[in-house]
Amino acid sequence: MVVQTVRSTAAATLSYVVALRLSAEPAPLTAPLTALLVVQVTLYSTLTTSLRRVNSVVVGVLIAIAFSALVGLSWWSLGLIILASLVVGRFVRVEEFVPEVAISAMLVLGVTQVADTAWDRVLETLIGAVVGLLFNVVLVPPVWVDTAGDSIVDLARRMRRLLLDVGEELADPDARPEPAKEPEAAPPPAPVERAAARLHEARRLDNDVADVDAALRQAEDSLRLNPRVKEGLLHRIVLRTGLDTLEICAVVLRVLTRSLTDLAKERRGAALVRRETGVALRETLRHLADTLMSFARLVTSPSSAEAETAEGRLGEELGAARAARDQAARLLREEAAHDPERWQLYGALLAEIDRVLDELEPDHRGRRLMEELDRHTRAREARRRRVTSLAARARRTS
């Protein structure tokens, strides 16, 4: 954060100095403003932001020149130019700089020498964009893969904690927290309330996934066009497919806690399953939780050696989880035989555990990686063909 602040300040100051020499404006503040906006955290976002910023200013200037040739500045013409600028800004896809189109048009329309002011504003914007871009080319921004990896591991850790809590609740439903010293302490929560609390924790995972997704997008941008990175595409795909898998697992965990909440409501305060079955489910969920952590460490491993170690650990945990799952399935079948009205809920628990195990299988992950690599390769080939076609068309018309 400190480095980014210093870089933004230096880029804005330098762009102002350059604009003083090249622009006719006495105080060309558009240049440092543009530099502040375009010096983003990554080189890729700096380039894309620069293009959108320059595009928005040029479009606004052209609209102002067109209006100045037809009408002067009045309340109705001002409203009309704002409306036109905002509408055109949506069509030219400047995204967050749509208001900048209207701002540029208003500032240019409000001066006497429209043409001179218009092109000075464009020049200042170009100066700020170029200076900001050069800063990120010369002083290459950091790669944010480690930050995204830490976010993925933290997400897996929260999912692991939830699975362990659910397992303890199933194995020891009569467990209570230590009594408070106050004589009028609140009574412990009922089984339904505890199950609902686990469901609420599972729902909060959606927000955690969104936070990790934002960190991962920043990491993906930092890998694009970065000379420090040789295999940026592979890094991006490994992290993205890893997050996709964890997101699916988070959804399955929410469904699992929903099933347990429904079962608690039907039990009306009684134990959700027999103690022996609960212990088997706790063991299954414990191995499943460890499998999630091993998977997260695998997709975030910085080296091949660490990835091989993590993959071996993942295979061991998967084997232990499947063995524990088979034992729990046998006991759940016995539960269903004694309680046939709830066989669907027992089956749902097994199905949700199986879905998580299937998602974490190395073969499943390998197929997903290959599919993503093939998709990116096809997209890149399609772009190359379009560029080649446009170049050939240009040569024919020239």
Side-chain angles (χ1 to χ4, degrees), residues 142-197:
V143 177
W144 295 92
V145 172
D146 291 341
T147 302
D150 292 342
S151 299
I152 290 175
V153 172
D154 287 341
L155 173 62
R157 189 174 291 114
R158 288 190 287 272
M159 296 168 68
R160 176 181 182 273
R161 183 70 262 170
L162 176 59
L163 282 170
L164 293 178
D165 290 343
V166 171
E168 289 298 327
E169 182 68 24
L170 288 168
D172 195 3
D174 297 327
R176 297 288 187 271
E178 295 183 2
K181 295 181 180 179
E182 293 79 1
E184 297 182 358
V192 175
E193 294 174 351
R194 295 199 300 271

Side-chain angles (χ1 to χ4, degrees), residues 230-390:
K230 295 182 179 180
E231 298 181 354
L233 177 61
L234 183 59
H235 282 294
R236 297 202 310 268
I237 291 177
V238 168
L239 289 175
R240 175 57 64 183
T241 54
L243 177 58
D244 290 343
T245 297
L246 290 180
E247 183 178 8
I248 293 172
C249 293
V251 174
V252 177
L253 289 185
R254 188 168 71 245
V255 177
L256 186 146
T257 53
R258 176 78 262 178
S259 299
L260 290 175
T261 303
D262 293 340
L263 185 59
K265 290 178 180 178
E266 292 190 8
R267 287 293 191 181
R268 299 178 182 177
L272 301 183
V273 292
R274 292 179 301 176
R275 190 173 187 83
E276 183 184 6
T277 307
V279 171
L281 285 172
R282 179 181 63 184
E283 189 71 8
T284 302
L285 294 180
R286 182 178 67 82
H287 285 297
L288 191 62
D290 292 339
T291 303
L292 276 171
M293 288 302 304
S294 297
F295 177 83
R297 293 192 177 98
L298 171 61
V299 299
T300 58
S301 297
S303 64
S304 300
E306 294 183 18
E308 290 179 3
T309 302
E311 188 169 8
R313 180 64 177 170
L314 175 61
E316 294 174 3
E317 291 293 346
L318 277 170
R322 291 199 177 277
R325 178 265 176 206
D326 292 341
Q327 173 67 11
R330 182 182 63 80
L331 294 172
L332 281 174
R333 283 195 296 269
E334 295 178 3
E335 294 269 356
H338 291 87
D339 192 6
E341 293 182 358
R342 296 179 180 86
W343 68 269
Q344 288 180 313
L345 287 174
Y346 297 142
L349 291 177
L350 282 179
E352 288 141 15
I353 292 172
D354 288 342
R355 177 64 191 276
V356 175
L357 289 172
D358 291 341
E359 288 293 331
L360 299 177
E361 278 286 352
D363 291 343
H364 189 88
R365 172 176 175 268
R367 288 193 300 271
R368 181 168 291 174
L369 279 173
M370 292 304 300
E371 289 172 359
E372 284 297 308
L373 282 171
D374 289 343
R375 185 176 66 84
H376 281 273
T377 301
R378 289 194 300 270
R380 186 164 52 189
E381 182 64 22
R383 288 194 298 268
R384 189 189 66 81
R385 285 197 299 268
R386 284 198 298 269
V387 171
T388 303
S389 176
L390 289 174

Side-chain angles (χ1 to χ4, degrees), residues 174-225:
D174 297 327
R176 297 288 187 271
E178 295 183 2
K181 295 181 180 179
E182 293 79 1
E184 297 182 358
V192 175
E193 294 174 351
R194 295 199 300 271
R198 301 286 180 260
L199 175 59
H200 183 65
E201 292 175 19
R203 286 170 175 166
R204 283 205 300 265
L205 289 174
D206 290 342
N207 296 330
D208 297 333
V209 170
D211 293 339
V212 178
D213 181 68
L216 183 52
R217 284 200 302 271
Q218 184 183 59
E220 289 172 336
D221 286 347
S222 71
L223 293 171
R224 292 187 176 101
L225 306 180

